[in-house]
Amino acid sequence: MAAERLLKVENLTLVLKTREGEIVPVREVSFTLGKGETVGLVGESGSGKTLTGLSLLGLFPPGARIAGGKILFDGEDLLTLPESRLQTLRGQKVSMVFQEPQSALNPVLTVETQMREIYQSHTSLSREEIGQRILDGLRAAGLPDPLTVSRSYPHQLSGGMRQRVMIAMALALDPLLVIADEPTTALDPTVALQILALLARIRQRSGQSLLFISHDLSHVRRVSDRVLLMYAGRIVEEAPSARFFSHGPRHPYGRALLASRPEGGIRTRREAPLSAIGGQVPPLWDLPPGCSFAPRCSRADSLCTSTLPSWNGGEGERVFCHHPDDSPLGAPVHAA
Ligand SMILES: Nc1ncnc2c1ncn2[C@@H]1O[C@H](COP(=O)(O)OP(=O)(O)O)[C@@H](O)[C@H]1O
Ligand code: SF4
Ligand SMILES: [Mg+2]
């Protein structure tokens, strides 16, 4: 990876108190993100993607505690910063686009009021300058009539327009890192494609990095330079997109996910995307010994069911598996 490093997550482990007892939804997670790079974090629902993304903003649900690790972001360890410093960083240096824009936007305030608040709390721009920035930002997010949109309340906009507003808000302060958590999942397929195209354009903006979180490999393929595959709280494979999608994932879970894609289609959550993989993600409070994927893995043997795998490969291209699959894919899989 030639890009200068922006983010380095080292052995991040998050423990969460739940009714079933303590779970570890994020376990020894390590990865890096270069300046201007887009990395796709992919895995089934419940694998720990959102909690990993929120950790990068220093946001943790009640009952969560960091049991270990570091998050080095632009020279600072986020886990040791006071809340006041984290609040400054949020928006200014790191921002997040959520899956459901309607719940992330305030329903009783116009788009303009909500965007104005971002600039007022983080900059000393004049009223007029802020007004201009809002219109420019909405236009850059692909909203052709920014004035009307800025005067609208969220419920007056379509789902796709709301997501564009969320993206404009996330980009308002020109952050170094944008985390997009399933930004297309709640949208119709055509609108989802437009939002993916917008995100792909964002990645071309100099210096801006994107962590793109999705359960759908076809979406990840469209926008990501690299792929992080997550299963039951762990990253289990890290690979350049080109290798991951042309030669094929080395982790059997990645192979199964890729095989579960419908031919040539782009999916939404409503279409039960990952049902083609047999079995279920094990509950986090009752993980099997050895490899967590073993109960669903066609390559599993007694080593897998008894012993935790170790990393195979080096930084940027590695797999957490006893028996990685190195056979080439039968046929190249093209983006939907
Ligand atoms: N606030 C919470 N309270 C209890 N459990 C949670 C909470 N948030 C997430 N979890 C659990 O942590 C695991 C990982 O969640 P999450 O990061 O949301 O996964 P993903 O985004 O990959 O679907 C899941 O098993 C989920 O049920
Ligand atoms: S370690 Fe074994 S069970 Fe786990 S993914 Fe690899 S081959 Fe499958
Ligand atoms: Mg999630």
Side-chain angles (χ1 to χ4, degrees):
M1 184 180 68
E4 194 185 336
R5 184 173 286 165
L6 174 69
L7 172 74
K8 184 170 204 252
V9 180
E10 272 178 12
N11 286 320
L12 179 68
T13 300
L14 186 77
V15 176
L16 199 56
K17 265 195 191 135
T18 69
R19 269 175 305 186
E20 286 79 17
E22 282 203 334
I23 59 169
V24 188
V26 177
R27 194 183 282 261
E28 293 167 20
V29 162
S30 298
F31 65 94
T32 61
L33 191 57
K35 285 195 174 155
E37 193 185 26
T38 298
V39 169
L41 178 60
V42 68
E44 282 162 291
S45 178
S47 53
K49 306 181 299 297
T50 294
L51 288 176
T52 301
L54 288 172
S55 302
L56 306 182
L57 291 158
L59 294 173
F60 304 100
R65 105 186 124 77
I66 296 288
K70 283 185 184 159
I71 303 177
L72 301 168
F73 176 76
D74 199 31
E76 295 180 277
D77 184 354
L78 295 189
L79 297 181
T80 61
L81 293 181
E83 180 56 29
S84 56
R85 176 74 188 136
L86 284 171
Q87 277 179 13
T88 310
L89 289 183
R90 278 180 220 131
Q92 225 163 45
K93 287 197 173 185
V94 197
S95 64
M96 192 144 173
V97 176
F98 295 92
Q99 179 174 328
E100 307 281 354
Q102 51 273 48
S103 53
L105 292 168
N106 188 329
V108 299
L109 299 177
T110 64
V111 168
E112 182 185 355
T113 309
Q114 296 184 58
M115 289 189 78
R116 200 166 270 287
E117 207 271 322
I118 297 174
Y119 288 105
Q120 279 168 349
S121 56
H122 287 278
T123 73
S124 51
L125 292 170
S126 70
R127 217 189 135 66
E128 289 69 32
E129 285 168 327
I130 291 177
Q132 194 54 51
R133 290 276 184 103
I134 291 170
L135 296 181
D136 291 347
L138 292 171
R139 197 175 293 110
L143 291 155
D145 186 359
L147 193 60
T148 306
V149 171
S150 72
R151 290 174 180 167
S152 305
Y153 290 89
H155 71 89
Q156 295 174 306
L157 304 172
S158 68
M161 288 166 97
R162 280 195 290 262
Q163 195 54 288
R164 287 179 191 277
V165 168
M166 273 305 301
I167 291 170
M169 287 170 73
L171 296 177
L173 302 170
D174 213 10
L176 296 171
L177 170 62
V178 177
I179 302 163
D181 188 5
E182 309 262 8
T184 50
T185 303
L187 304 174
D188 290 335
T190 320
V191 182
L193 284 178
Q194 292 165 0
I195 295 292
L196 287 175
L198 174 65
L199 290 171
R201 283 204 298 281
I202 291 170
R203 69 182 287 207
Q204 287 161 0
R205 288 167 61 141
S206 63
Q208 204 143 35
S209 310
L210 177 65
L211 181 67
F212 178 76
I213 298 177
S214 179
H215 64 261
D216 193 321
L217 277 174
S218 67
H219 289 204
V220 167
R221 186 176 197 196
R222 282 176 173 268
V223 291
S224 306
D225 302 311
R226 281 194 296 126
V227 180
L228 301 169
L229 180 67
M230 200 162 184
Y231 189 78
R234 285 184 187 274
I235 307 256
V236 295
E237 182 165 0
E238 183 181 354
S241 290
R243 209 271 293 140
F244 191 92
F245 290 105
S246 60
H247 185 86
R250 297 182 72 208
H251 197 284
Y253 176 54
R255 293 267 165 158
L257 272 190
L258 204 57
S260 74
R261 287 181 67 245
E263 278 315 304
I266 199 156
R267 263 180 316 221
T268 68
R269 186 178 45 174
R270 279 159 252 169
E271 291 160 13
L274 303 173
S275 56
I277 302 186
Q280 295 197 329
V281 185
L284 290 173
W285 58 90
D286 191 21
L287 289 178
C291 172
S292 305
F293 189 59
R296 304 169 82 185
C297 182
S298 58
R299 297 168 84 86
D301 62 9
S302 57
L303 178 64
C304 304
T305 52
S306 63
T307 311
L308 194 68
S310 51
W311 282 106
N312 193 311
E315 189 186 325
E317 189 152 6
R318 55 189 189 151
V319 60
F320 195 73
C321 173
H322 289 301
H323 312 298
D325 190 343
D326 285 316
S327 59
L329 284 177
V333 177
H334 299 290

